[in-house]
Amino acid sequence: MKIKNILPLSTILLSLATASVSANPPLAYEGRALYVSYCQLCHGVKGKGDGSLAKAMHIQPADLTTTVRSRSDTILKKIITGEGKQTITGRDRHNILSDAMPEWNDIFNAEQVDALISFLRFLSRSKHQLMGDPEVGQQIYYKYCKVCHGEDGDGDGIMTKLIGIVPTDHTNPNETSIYNNQQLAESILDGKGRFMPAWRGIIKQSDVEGLVSYIRLLSN
Ligand code: HEC
Ligand code: HEC
């Protein structure tokens, strides 16, 4: 039997797709989910210290996009858990934290604190905003993209060996931060080179924005 119509690659891949979700999501991704639930109310969506509870606080929540840059991971750990308040207080004027910042010691385990720190680093150093919902992005990524870009996004999906291609490594900031959000979205919608398929008509605009946001967190 002869196959007359060659299906577009992206259509073939739909049938290979699975929707399973990683047991090891990227740290900044996991940190963002915690941030949204526990920190955003005070520190705001972008970390600027302008969350909806900020007005009610007698001390303004810190603008994390400027303060976090000069903090080491060790200090951030202490600030978040509240464990090191004694040590921190008095070392320099920046290190005096009031009780207005809650202590999270009993709430997060060490891995979750690391994840939060990873996301705070993203907030303070990424020149690109998260334009869509990365949680939606992750689901779509697992469904359509991991066959080539790999489970962890580093470009070693099963298809790479089968058809001998080298997809972009989304965990490498040098490969993604050179593009703005609009450019990444266009690559996804229109495809790139011979083997990066076009997804226009398959993935809707808001989901493409979620994918771009997920890729940003992968490379942090
Ligand atoms: C109830 C409001 C509130 C919530 C919720 C909150 N914070 Fe804060 N946070 C503050 C306030 C207020 C300050 C500033 C304290 C001061 O200057 O004395 C602060 C300061 C900080 C600082 C210190 C910034 C610096 O380097 O000087 C960090 C880091 C921080 N918060 C992280 C977090 C994280 C992570 C979460 C979520 C797990 C969180 N905060 C949740 C109110 C809040
Ligand atoms: C058939 C394999 C394959 C699939 C499936 C695939 N990609 Fe790609 N992708 C590639 C290859 C190969 C490249 C490198 C293209 C080039 O630069 O020649 C690439 C590059 C990219 C780039 C970088 C484009 C640029 O501007 O440099 C982005 C972003 C991207 N892919 C996102 C995705 C997303 C999101 C999905 C899932 C919706 C996806 N890819 C699915 C193979 C794939």
Side-chain angles (χ1 to χ4, degrees), residues 9-205:
L9 187 52
S10 49
T11 312
I12 296 166
L13 291 170
L14 295 188
S15 55
L16 287 175
T18 57
S20 72
V21 164
S22 168
N24 292 311
L27 263 194
Y29 172 86
E30 204 184 356
R32 176 193 165 272
L34 295 170
Y35 180 89
V36 167
S37 301
Y38 298 101
C39 322
Q40 188 165 288
L41 263 178
C42 289
H43 289 284
V45 175
K46 294 176 184 165
K48 289 278 184 199
D50 57 356
S52 45
L53 265 190
K55 284 191 211 79
M57 309 284 299
H58 62 290
I59 293 174
Q60 278 308 293
D63 177 352
L64 300 173
T65 63
T66 58
T67 53
V68 162
R69 214 166 291 159
S70 60
R71 306 281 193 210
S72 67
D73 284 5
T74 314
I75 293 292
L76 284 176
K77 246 173 234 171
K78 288 178 175 177
I79 291 173
I80 294 169
T81 58
E83 260 182 344
K85 258 186 191 155
Q86 249 57 30
T87 341
I88 295 172
T89 304
R91 279 186 55 193
D92 68 70
R93 68 190 171 86
H94 300 291
N95 281 336
I96 301 166
L97 269 191
S98 65
D99 294 340
M101 164 64 187
E103 297 177 16
W104 303 92
N105 209 16
D106 298 333
I107 303 184
F108 301 130
N109 61 32
E111 197 187 304
Q112 289 173 313
V113 172
D114 286 346
L116 275 164
I117 292 173
S118 176
F119 181 66
L120 297 188
R121 296 262 179 248
F122 171 83
L123 277 180
S124 67
R125 77 178 162 212
S126 175
K127 21 180 222 264
H128 308 290
Q129 305 281 348
L130 297 183
M131 68 195 298
D133 184 347
E135 295 183 27
V136 172
Q138 191 197 45
Q139 283 170 17
I140 312 267
Y141 198 88
Y142 271 76
K143 199 170 174 190
Y144 296 142
C145 321
K146 85 167 182 193
V147 282
C148 291
H149 288 280
E151 173 136 3
D152 301 322
D154 54 2
D156 68 349
I158 49 160
M159 288 289 281
T160 56
K161 288 182 200 78
L162 298 176
I163 57 177
I165 52 170
V166 185
T168 306
D169 176 357
H170 289 150
T171 65
N172 180 351
N174 298 329
E175 293 201 24
T176 51
S177 67
I178 45 171
Y179 299 112
N180 64 33
N181 288 344
Q182 193 53 40
Q183 289 167 321
L184 284 185
E186 275 163 18
S187 292
I188 296 169
L189 288 167
D190 298 330
K192 185 142 190 195
R194 277 179 68 205
F195 287 112
M196 168 60 193
W199 300 90
R200 198 180 289 282
I202 299 169
I203 300 175
K204 60 175 195 260
Q205 179 66 27

